[in-house]
Amino acid sequence: MELLYQSTRSQGEKVTASQAILKGLAGDGGLFVPERIPVPGIPLENFSKMSYKETAYEVMKLFFTDFTEEELKSCIDKAYDDKFDTCEIAPLTEKAGVYYLELFHGATIAFKDMALSILPHLLTVSAKKNNVNGEIVILTATSGDTGKAALAGFADVPGTRIIVFYPKNGVSRIQERQMVTQKGANTSVIGITGNFDDAQSGVKAMFNNKELAKTMKEHNYQFSSANSINIGRLVPQVVYYVYSYAKLLSNGAVKAGELVNFVVPTGNFGNILAAYYAKNMGVPVGKLICASNENKVLFDFFETGIYDKNREFVLTSSPSMDILVSSNLERLVYRIAGDNPEATAGMMSALASEGRYEVTGEMKARLEDFASGWASEEQTASEIKRVYEETGYVMDTHTAVASAVYHDYKEKTKDSTVTVIASTASPYKFGTSVMGAVNSKYKGMDDFELIDELSRISGTAIPKAVEEIRSAPVLHNTVCETEDMQKEVEKILGI
């Protein structure tokens, strides 16, 4: 049965999955959402016998109905190959009664690899299906991880170019080094003097610029997005929640139908929205626990029903969550508004003009699937130290935010439901913060000395992604003001 996609902001024409993937953003500035959440035609128990690739196919075929079996399986095979350092793709690790879903075993050691390994293949197939002959220009803003994962995914993919903007002083040193050393004739990386929200706003403005779109078309270019606003990135993230529940079934941690909580460190809201979609597909999810750092705009939203970005922007040790405009929340707002595009458009308009909006009491009541919490910088560091000392497990700063929020939640609620924490990045990506938290004696050490020491104390091998950048030359050194982002794009494309 065909599944079509529509904008969160209007009742405009519905599009196929491949058209939604190609466009990235709807013409009215809204995000594409499926007209319904599909449900698997097989019992969840069947998934417990499947590999990650098999699970991916069973989930994605329900959302991407205009892809043939051959096309979709080819995309999956190319994505989840030896770029990942484990055949499990997303291992589930248990430590002291808590399960960590390790989403960082891909090429860039962060969870963004889970979707950005497959998006280039979905996009190139979508282009062929829709007779697009020009070059697809991937335009992306990153708070640290998306940029490198997108660059790695799209590097030298025929028919594509990729331009990534990142906040020059708002990512970790390893994250920046991963991006600026990226090879590929079709890759461009630009630092901006603002923060992530500035970068994201600049990218959205270019997507919505009709004159720019016209000029692009004249030069045989078409924009698309690798951010989680693209449905081609969101749907692959649904897979690992189905997969992790199936793993819990297969190892006897839960019985069929038994509820599981998921804790997700959250910035742009795409990762936890994927868990919400999995719940709506029939995965027995108890609570979706939204974990924020000191930029706790989402925590305040779940507490009050008011989304207000008018606040100080805090640079933290978990930079991928340093976000005040959580783009994917729009998809949840649309859902709790009863799939009402007019109501959604009104709230997004208020966010753009006033920096805030408030949901109705009825809408807030529909957020009962979610719990929320936040962790300070001190709590985050303390959690890294506590978990390491108690279990020997070393986690990154984002996972530590989720872990701290979960332990606080459990203490307050006494909820003993089996819980999975989404571990969204390798500790090697944030060696300075992680090792400084483990022991103050590491503070001030060189980045790569810390990485060697991290390998020693954790008993884990240094990921290839980190080893590669030790001596890699810097290939991208452009920095611009936020208002000059479009000029840089025009210069790169020669338009």
Side-chain angles (χ1 to χ4, degrees):
M1 188 176 176
E2 189 175 38
L3 182 66
L4 296 176
Y5 290 79
Q6 60 198 46
S7 170
T8 50
R9 299 189 191 180
S10 71
Q11 297 277 17
E13 184 186 359
K14 292 180 180 178
V15 299
T16 63
S18 63
Q19 289 168 337
I21 290 167
L22 268 177
K23 289 173 184 286
L25 201 63
D28 56 15
L31 307 189
F32 286 114
V33 286
E35 56 189 346
R36 67 182 185 282
I37 303 294
V39 177
I42 56 173
L44 264 177
E45 294 94 300
N46 290 25
F47 285 97
S48 65
K49 304 176 185 74
M50 293 183 193
S51 68
Y52 193 89
K53 285 185 183 182
E54 289 166 339
T55 305
Y57 175 69
E58 290 298 326
V59 172
M60 288 191 217
K61 75 176 185 182
L62 301 173
F63 285 92
F64 300 151
T65 56
D66 65 329
F67 283 69
T68 67
E69 179 177 349
E70 185 184 2
E71 286 169 341
L72 196 48
K73 284 186 172 175
S74 172
C75 290
I76 289 165
D77 284 339
K78 288 172 184 170
Y80 304 114
D81 57 9
D82 58 11
K83 289 190 294 292
F84 287 80
D85 63 19
T86 167
C87 59
E88 286 180 280
I89 309 299
L92 197 61
T93 301
E94 186 266 330
K95 295 290 176 185
V98 179
Y99 290 88
Y100 295 91
L101 178 61
E102 294 186 347
L103 301 170
F104 53 76
H105 288 273
T108 75
I109 58 175
F111 84 98
K112 308 293 173 78
D113 290 324
M114 303 299 295
L116 282 165
S117 293
I118 193 168
L119 181 61
H121 306 294
L122 294 173
L123 239 155
T124 50
V125 170
S126 295
K128 283 179 193 163
K129 293 176 90 64
N130 290 278
N131 302 311
V132 172
N133 299 313
E135 277 200 312
I136 297 166
V137 180
I138 304 299
L139 192 62
T140 291
T142 184
S143 57
D145 287 336
T146 288
K148 174 59 183 179
L151 288 161
F154 282 93
D156 293 324
V157 170
T160 70
R161 291 201 192 192
I162 176 161
I163 304 169
V164 170
F165 289 94
Y166 74 98
K168 174 64 184 165
N169 297 311
V171 300
S172 81
R173 280 176 286 183
I174 294 289
Q175 284 177 313
E176 182 174 43
R177 186 131 182 101
Q178 281 189 306
M179 287 189 280
V180 299
T181 58
Q182 176 66 50
K183 296 174 185 173
N186 64 338
T187 65
S188 299
V189 181
I190 302 164
I192 68 156
T193 54
N195 59 37
F196 169 73
D197 288 330
D198 297 324
Q200 184 164 254
S201 296
V203 165
K204 281 188 174 178
M206 282 184 268
F207 269 103
N208 293 325
N209 186 326
K210 305 294 183 195
E211 280 302 308
L212 180 58
K214 188 180 168 191
T215 306
M216 295 268 294
K217 194 171 182 182
E218 288 166 1
H219 288 80
N220 223 18
Y221 292 125
Q222 174 183 323
F223 276 143
S224 191
S225 172
N227 279 84
S228 55
I229 55 175
N230 193 315
I231 200 71
R233 242 194 78 183
L234 183 63
V235 169
Q237 292 179 263
V238 177
V239 175
Y240 48 74
Y241 293 106
V242 178
Y243 179 75
S244 59
Y245 188 85
K247 278 282 152 203
L248 291 171
L249 276 178
S250 68
N251 68 20
V254 296
K255 296 185 176 70
E258 190 177 343
L259 296 178
V260 168
N261 292 340
F262 286 102
V263 191
V264 188
T266 310
N268 222 0
F269 207 75
N271 206 4
I272 196 166
L273 182 73
Y276 178 72
Y277 275 23
K279 176 172 176 133
N280 281 269
M281 288 179 74
V283 176
V285 177
K287 283 290 181 189
L288 295 165
I289 303 168
C290 179
S292 298
N293 64 14
E294 290 185 7
N295 293 293
K296 57 187 183 73
V297 63
L298 285 166
F299 169 78
D300 292 339
F301 170 72
F302 284 110
E303 289 291 298
T304 65
I306 298 169
Y307 194 95
D308 190 346
K309 69 164 188 169
N310 301 311
R311 62 183 71 207
E312 182 190 358
F313 183 92
V314 185
L315 288 173
T316 73
S317 59
S318 46
S320 298
M321 298 161 67
D322 290 348
I323 295 171
L324 296 181
V325 180
S326 302
S327 292
N328 265 289
L329 187 63
E330 180 171 342
R331 286 184 165 115
L332 179 65
V333 167
Y334 173 82
R335 183 86 176 175
I336 64 173
D339 296 351
N340 184 327
E342 289 79 16
T344 308
M347 282 179 275
M348 295 308 116
S349 175
L351 181 63
S353 60
E354 299 156 35
R356 71 190 300 278
Y357 61 85
E358 183 171 2
V359 301
T360 65
E362 188 180 357
M363 288 170 71
K364 189 170 185 301
R366 290 179 180 151
L367 295 172
E368 61 187 11
D369 291 329
F370 293 88
S372 62
W374 70 281
S376 68
E377 285 290 88
E378 293 75 18
Q379 288 169 310
T380 302
S382 295
E383 189 68 3
I384 292 170
K385 185 179 178 68
R386 181 190 72 79
V387 172
Y388 171 66
E389 289 181 346
E390 290 179 11
T391 69
Y393 190 65
V394 183
M395 61 177 62
D396 90 295
T397 45
H398 304 75
T399 308
V401 168
S403 186
V405 165
Y406 169 61
H407 285 281
D408 186 50
Y409 165 85
K410 191 176 181 184
E411 206 169 283
K412 286 177 181 169
T413 63
K414 310 302 178 196
D415 183 353
S416 59
T417 304
V418 171
T419 296
V420 175
I421 292 175
S423 184
T424 53
S426 165
Y428 287 95
K429 204 154 192 172
F430 303 93
T432 303
S433 298
V434 168
M435 294 302 284
V438 167
N439 193 315
S440 59
K441 74 179 182 181
Y442 295 120
K443 288 179 179 173
M445 279 175 67
D446 167 80
D447 279 356
F448 287 101
E449 283 180 325
L450 286 172
I451 281 162
D452 291 333
E453 188 64 7
L454 172 53
S455 175
R456 187 188 69 77
I457 69 161
S458 65
T460 58
I462 299 170
K464 194 168 92 172
V466 175
E467 285 288 11
E468 283 175 347
I469 61 172
R470 278 189 195 259
S471 56
V474 171
L475 302 174
H476 309 273
N477 52 20
T478 304
V479 179
C480 76
E481 301 292 329
T482 309
E483 58 267 26
D484 293 329
M485 288 170 62
Q486 185 172 318
K487 283 182 193 168
E488 291 296 332
V489 170
E490 290 168 346
K491 194 190 302 179
I492 290 163
L493 299 179
I495 60 176

